Every structure is written in C-alpha cells, then in structure tokens.
Amino acid sequence: MPGSTTPAGWYPDPSDPRFVRWWDGHAWTGNQAPRQMQYQPVIRPPRPQLSEQTPVYNPFIWVITLLPLVSVIFMLFWQPEFRMITTRQGTTTIDPFSIYTPAYFLLMGSSVVAYGLSVFFAYLDRQRLLKSGVERPFHWAWAFLSAIVYVIGRSVIVNKVAPKRGLWPIWATAAVFVISMVVAGIWTSNMMQSMYNQFGYSVTT
C-alpha cells in the first residue's frame, strides 16, 4: 500500500493474514487486531429443470397415495356386535369389549402396516427421483411424520423442476381423504343406529 491513495482503515496484515493492521492513509501503524471470520452463507444453486420426456410419477408414489383406502375397506367389514351387561350397581349398559372383533384387529393391523409401507415406498420413490435427475428431492424420512407430508413436499419440489407437472398426487390424496371421511361418517352413523336399536330395545323390554 505504500505510495497508494488507499484511505485509512483496517486491512489484512501483510505480515500475518490471521490479523488486521491499521493503515493511516500513508503507512502501516503498530495497531493490530485479530481478523474476524465473516460468515459466508451457503447458497445452493437452483435445481436443474427436467425435460418433458422425464417421468415424474412412478408406482411407489401412487401406492403411498392410495394406501389409506385399505383401512377404509377394512372399516366396512368391521361391524361390532354390541352386548349388554349388568353392572354391580344393577344398571344395564353396553359391554365396551364387544367392539373388539377380529375385524377390529384387522383394521388396526392394516393401519400399522400401511404406515410402515408408506415409509418404505417413500424411500423407493426418492431413489427413483434421484435416478430421474431430480436434485435434492424431498427426503423420504418425512413419511415417518405422515404420508401426506411426504406427498405434499415431494409434489412441490417435483413441480419446481418440472413446471405444470408433479401435483397429481396431492389431488389424489385430497380425493382419498374425502372418500375416507364420507365412508367414516356413514359407518359411524350406522354404528350409532345399531347401538340405539340394541340399547333402546333392551331398555324398553
């Protein structure tokens, strides 16, 4: 810097890059201080776009999307046979254990199996996306939280690298949810009616 018109200020010490030294505008001074490391944010480059010929769907994502329907089907076969019991106080009520039919355990088991399969197929789906050229696809471990979370995150990222594509799993998930709610509502209504018929009949007789 000697002979230059550099304004006064702190600059990297030419004798030791670990420090900065004060330049008074004409010469280096004896004032020295440790050089502070500046934070450099990591900027990831945007994901490259996929060609229109690259498929963005595969059997794994559709299995994840449609798996909840399995539990809906098993729910249709679960028809609790309510039994009446007399308590020690002499009152008649419904036996709470009467709901535990084989169909009930089949329903509960299918839900657990569907959860595990969702995580497994999310892993396979992510591997397929990587092979298709999708950089940093949505991580499969989000399926541990919920299959819906994985489907939404996966679809958003795929839509970024393949504009106007990749969102059908979200719409399919919404349709499955509506179907599940309708079936659950009908099933609950039928169950309540069955309870009323059995319980009401027992009371009146």
Side-chain angles (χ1 to χ4, degrees), residues 4 30 33 43 54 58 69 71 85-86 124 137 164 171 191:
S4 68
I43 301 177
T54 303
N58 58 67
L69 290 178
S71 296
I85 59 174
T86 302
L124 296 180
K164 300 182 179 180
W171 300 116
M191 184 186 70

Side-chain angles (χ1 to χ4, degrees), residues 34-69:
R35 185 175 183 177
Q36 296 181 353
M37 300 298 295
Q38 295 182 347
Y39 172 73
Q40 296 294 334
V42 178
I43 301 177
R44 292 184 175 182
R47 296 179 176 88
Q49 300 290 294
L50 298 180
S51 66
E52 295 183 357
Q53 290 73 32
T54 303
V56 295
Y57 305 118
N58 58 67
F60 306 124
I61 186 60
W62 293 123
V63 171
I64 296 172
T65 302
L66 301 177
L67 266 177
L69 290 178

Side-chain angles (χ1 to χ4, degrees), residues 9-118:
W10 292 99
Y11 296 97
D13 192 332
S15 60
D16 191 339
R18 297 175 300 172
F19 298 89
V20 291
R21 186 178 294 274
W22 181 258
W23 171 263
D24 63 5
H26 302 284
W28 293 107
T29 67
N31 297 324
Q32 188 186 53
R35 185 175 183 177
Q36 296 181 353
M37 300 298 295
Q38 295 182 347
Y39 172 73
Q40 296 294 334
V42 178
I43 301 177
R44 292 184 175 182
R47 296 179 176 88
Q49 300 290 294
L50 298 180
S51 66
E52 295 183 357
Q53 290 73 32
T54 303
V56 295
Y57 305 118
N58 58 67
F60 306 124
I61 186 60
W62 293 123
V63 171
I64 296 172
T65 302
L66 301 177
L67 266 177
L69 290 178
V70 176
S71 296
V72 173
I73 294 174
F74 283 123
M75 179 183 292
L76 296 176
F77 291 97
W78 179 33
Q79 299 296 331
E81 299 176 357
F82 300 105
R83 298 185 300 269
M84 308 303 296
I85 59 174
T86 302
T87 65
R88 295 180 178 179
Q89 290 75 22
T91 59
T92 301
T93 185
I94 296 176
D95 182 4
F97 293 100
S98 61
I99 66 173
Y100 298 123
T101 63
Y104 169 83
F105 292 104
L106 190 61
L107 174 62
M108 296 297 102
S110 67
S111 300
V112 174
V113 172
Y115 173 80
L117 288 177
S118 295

Side-chain angles (χ1 to χ4, degrees), residues 79-183:
Q79 299 296 331
E81 299 176 357
F82 300 105
R83 298 185 300 269
M84 308 303 296
I85 59 174
T86 302
T87 65
R88 295 180 178 179
Q89 290 75 22
T91 59
T92 301
T93 185
I94 296 176
D95 182 4
F97 293 100
S98 61
I99 66 173
Y100 298 123
T101 63
Y104 169 83
F105 292 104
L106 190 61
L107 174 62
M108 296 297 102
S110 67
S111 300
V112 174
V113 172
Y115 173 80
L117 288 177
S118 295
V119 175
F120 176 67
F121 285 122
Y123 169 79
L124 296 180
D125 175 65
R126 187 174 189 272
Q127 296 302 113
R128 182 67 64 86
L129 290 176
L130 288 170
K131 292 180 179 179
S132 299
V134 179
E135 290 191 8
R136 306 189 305 276
F138 200 65
H139 203 280
W140 63 270
W142 283 100
F144 280 110
L145 182 62
S146 170
I148 294 178
V149 172
Y150 176 78
V151 170
I152 294 175
R154 186 252 196 209
S155 300
V156 169
I157 291 181
V158 170
N159 181 253
K160 289 181 179 180
V161 299
K164 300 182 179 180
R165 295 193 294 160
L167 295 180
W168 274 110
I170 293 180
W171 300 116
T173 298
V176 169
F177 178 79
V178 172
I179 293 173
S180 301
M181 291 298 99
V182 171
V183 173

